[in-house]
Amino acid sequence: MRRILLVLLLLGAQLSAQELSIKKGVVKDSLKVSDSLQETYAVYLPTGFQNGKMWPVIFIFDGEGRGKSATHLFRAAAEEQGYILISSNNISSENDLKTNLEVADRLLQVTVPRFPINMKMISSAGSNEGGKVASAIPLLYKDIHGVIAVGNHWINLDLLDEKRDFSFIGIVGDEQFTSAGMNYTAQILSHLKFPSRVYTYEGNDEWPEMRLIASAVGSLTLDAMKNKLRPIDPQLVDDLYSLDLALANKMISNQDLVGAMFFLELLEEKYDGFKDLNEIEEKQKQLKRSRNYDLQERERAEVNEKELRLIDDFIYYLGEDIRTANFENLGWWNYQKIQLDSLVRKGGEQAKMAKRLEGLIGELSRAYRDELKETRASLEKKLLANMIQTIFDPKNYAAYKEIITLSAQDDDFGTALFYLEEMLKHGYKNKDGLYNIEGTLGLKLTPEYNQLIEKYLGSSRFYDN
């Protein structure tokens, strides 16, 4: 990847909203990045938009390229806090980070000169694979104001320039295995004097609720006020403060007392210098006097200790089993999945831990798959990594297909047929895709292969009854 945002961008001919036929207060989708590319984006201009001033902007990178939908999630925050939104339709979880960053780079290069953008208030936001893109943007461009990374992130600490700081806002679900890494990155950035905060929400949805997104955007807004990038707006500060207190009260009402304490601690730092913090401090005192808070805090500490121990075990055993191609331990991994699923059914903090661990093992096995695919590793190692992947991520159809390919290459049609049926049981529907799996010419002509496809999909290409 190349460059920083050049001064030339400032000199580019900016097109007005009228010239682009963009109505204020409405999300405009499917604008072309260029006539020569099949890449598009969505735009939102707040109702108060005027061409006579420079505006802060948030570039949004949804992990599955749903630019319009992602823009709608940020719309209320953009309207209240005064942001232009520009959202890519072409980020994909099927792409590697380099490819997705190239998509983002083309979008920024085209749109920054096209709109009246404040060059010191360019921020990026994204979810999952898009979160990696959003958090990598400050490594490529200077003067990025802030990052909102949801669910995942990618920051190479060795490449950070401490003179080019930015606000890092992490948002992560309490069932997502990435939560530990997100908090660790925020701690390191804070140590390096980068403004950093991590918001947590319940579950593992790709995006949190709109009010939490508005709170995260509010962090960028308040940081801009602190840094004199935008004037202090007392009414807006009061509105953001009211929003955040409502979120804290909702956590308390839902008996997420430890989560509420973490959130109140975040608010102390967020509103320092803007508001009297007595109300926040009083809520913290009330929580500490609660017996339920003590019980939840103790339970969470016990779960965290257990989780760290299991993480060490799983990382070690996964590496050893793949290194030695130990198929004998597939049963052990199946048993671990059953045990974790039983914790999920019980609910509570242990259920959240179990979901995080399942996500971690799935991600680690995927990483091994990708690494082995690029090397001359043995067929057995590649098979095992894919098999463990299907245990913990049963809808990862790419892993099933790779097992089928590798098994067919080894003339092990029995294994190939077993994983074909497992893939179909878990909801795979693309019949044509089953006849385009690499290296399976002999396999896909067999009656058994076609009978399985007919059983689950109604008909097959060969031997259709």
Side-chain angles (χ1 to χ4, degrees):
M1 296 301 296
R2 56 196 193 282
R3 56 207 180 260
I4 62 174
L5 284 175
L6 300 175
V7 176
L8 289 175
L9 293 178
L10 286 170
L11 303 177
Q14 293 176 337
L15 301 179
S16 70
Q18 288 76 18
E19 289 174 295
L20 286 168
S21 301
I22 299 173
K23 185 177 180 181
K24 292 183 287 187
V26 176
V27 176
K28 174 75 172 179
D29 194 22
S30 302
L31 293 169
K32 289 185 177 181
V33 172
S34 77
D35 291 335
S36 60
L37 292 171
Q38 296 298 313
E39 294 177 6
T40 63
Y41 61 97
V43 169
Y44 179 78
L45 303 177
T47 54
F49 175 85
Q50 297 174 349
N51 270 306
K53 59 176 281 191
M54 309 305 281
W55 289 78
V57 62
I58 300 175
F59 285 89
I60 307 171
F61 304 101
D62 176 80
E64 297 299 336
R66 296 163 298 196
K68 183 178 180 180
S69 298
T71 304
H72 276 290
L73 292 174
F74 283 77
R75 179 179 173 180
E79 183 66 24
E80 180 182 31
Q81 301 177 47
Y83 286 87
I84 294 173
L85 303 177
I86 299 175
S87 187
S88 173
N89 286 316
N90 300 100
I91 301 299
S92 172
S93 60
E94 299 297 317
N95 296 339
D96 58 24
L97 178 59
K98 180 177 180 294
T99 302
N100 279 330
L101 278 171
E102 288 169 349
V103 170
D105 177 55
R106 287 190 288 269
L107 179 64
L108 266 71
Q109 291 296 323
V110 167
T111 57
V112 168
R114 186 171 287 177
F115 295 91
I117 288 173
N118 184 332
M119 297 297 290
K120 292 188 177 297
M121 291 197 62
I122 296 175
S123 297
S124 56
S127 68
N128 296 326
E129 292 303 311
K132 294 180 181 180
V133 173
S135 53
I137 292 291
L139 303 179
L140 306 178
Y141 300 98
K142 71 174 183 179
D143 293 332
I144 295 297
H145 170 59
V147 168
I148 298 175
V150 180
N152 213 336
H153 71 292
W154 187 92
I155 293 180
N156 188 326
L157 297 172
D158 294 331
L159 299 179
L160 280 180
D161 183 347
E162 295 181 33
K163 296 179 182 179
R164 290 164 49 182
D165 65 339
F166 57 91
S167 297
F168 176 79
I169 311 299
I171 309 180
V172 65
D174 61 6
E175 295 176 2
Q176 295 177 328
F177 74 92
T178 52
S179 58
M182 189 83 78
N183 281 286
Y184 175 76
T185 296
Q187 290 172 10
I188 295 296
L189 290 173
S190 292
H191 179 72
L192 297 172
K193 308 302 182 185
F194 288 68
S196 303
R197 305 179 189 98
V198 175
Y199 291 79
T200 302
Y201 61 96
E202 290 189 347
N204 60 359
D205 291 339
E206 291 179 75
W207 290 99
E209 62 167 310
M210 291 175 63
R211 290 195 300 170
L212 193 60
I213 290 174
S215 179
V217 174
S219 284
L220 297 183
T221 299
L222 293 176
D223 285 346
M225 292 181 187
K226 287 180 182 179
N227 294 322
K228 297 181 170 45
L229 296 176
R230 62 187 290 172
I232 294 176
D233 181 341
Q235 183 58 57
L236 179 55
V237 172
D238 286 345
D239 291 343
L240 293 174
Y241 183 70
S242 296
L243 167 68
D244 281 335
L245 282 185
L247 287 171
N249 289 333
K250 180 182 177 182
M251 293 179 188
I252 294 170
S253 297
N254 292 338
Q255 288 298 299
D256 181 13
L257 304 185
V258 175
M261 180 63 80
F262 284 134
F263 187 64
L264 289 168
E265 290 171 354
L266 181 152
L267 297 187
E268 274 191 297
E269 188 271 334
K270 180 175 178 179
Y271 289 97
D272 185 29
F274 289 107
K275 299 289 292 184
D276 186 322
L277 302 178
N278 287 340
E279 189 173 6
I280 293 174
E281 292 169 354
E282 184 56 36
K283 286 183 181 294
Q284 290 173 315
K285 290 176 183 177
Q286 290 174 3
L287 285 175
K288 289 177 180 177
R289 289 195 293 264
S290 166
R291 184 173 299 159
N292 284 338
Y293 172 76
D294 287 338
L295 291 173
Q296 287 184 21
E297 188 178 39
R298 192 178 307 120
E299 180 188 11
R300 186 168 293 197
E302 291 171 355
V303 167
N304 287 344
E305 183 179 347
K306 179 179 179 180
E307 185 172 359
L308 288 172
R309 186 172 65 252
L310 289 172
I311 287 173
D312 285 343
D313 288 346
F314 288 144
I315 290 174
Y316 174 77
Y317 290 130
L318 183 64
E320 279 296 292
D321 285 349
I322 292 177
R323 183 181 66 82
T324 59
N326 192 342
F327 288 90
E328 296 297 321
N329 281 336
L330 272 176
W332 185 85
W333 287 107
N334 270 302
Y335 177 73
Q336 299 309 310
K337 180 65 164 64
I338 292 169
Q339 292 295 100
L340 291 172
D341 283 346
S342 70
L343 290 178
V344 169
R345 288 191 292 273
K346 291 179 180 178
E349 289 298 320
Q350 294 218 46
K352 295 175 183 178
M353 176 197 71
K355 290 180 180 179
R356 290 193 295 266
L357 289 171
E358 289 183 352
L360 174 67
I361 299 169
E363 179 64 18
L364 287 174
S365 57
R366 184 202 61 76
Y368 274 113
R369 280 181 53 224
D370 292 347
E371 181 181 341
L372 293 171
K373 202 170 184 179
E374 301 301 321
T375 67
R376 295 186 177 182
S378 67
L379 180 145
E380 289 77 14
K381 290 181 180 179
K382 294 178 180 179
L383 269 173
L384 185 62
N386 280 280
M387 289 173 176
I388 295 174
Q389 174 86 79
T390 63
I391 293 172
F392 290 92
D393 188 3
K395 289 188 177 293
N396 191 313
Y397 302 129
Y400 291 100
K401 289 181 179 181
E402 199 163 337
I403 294 170
I404 293 169
T405 292
L406 293 168
S407 299
Q409 290 175 0
D410 201 35
D411 292 325
D412 183 1
F413 284 9
T415 297
L417 292 169
F418 174 82
Y419 279 93
L420 169 65
E421 184 161 21
E422 287 298 301
M423 179 166 63
L424 291 166
K425 283 180 182 178
H426 284 97
Y428 187 82
K429 300 294 185 184
N430 184 356
K431 187 189 305 181
D432 290 338
L434 296 176
Y435 289 98
N436 291 316
I437 298 176
E438 184 180 354
T440 59
L441 178 60
L443 174 67
K444 64 189 177 186
L445 292 174
T446 64
E448 294 83 1
Y449 192 86
N450 289 272
Q451 286 164 4
L452 280 174
I453 295 173
E454 182 178 355
K455 176 181 175 181
Y456 287 92
L457 301 183
S459 63
S460 61
R461 186 174 294 181
F462 308 112
Y463 303 102
D464 191 14
N465 292 326

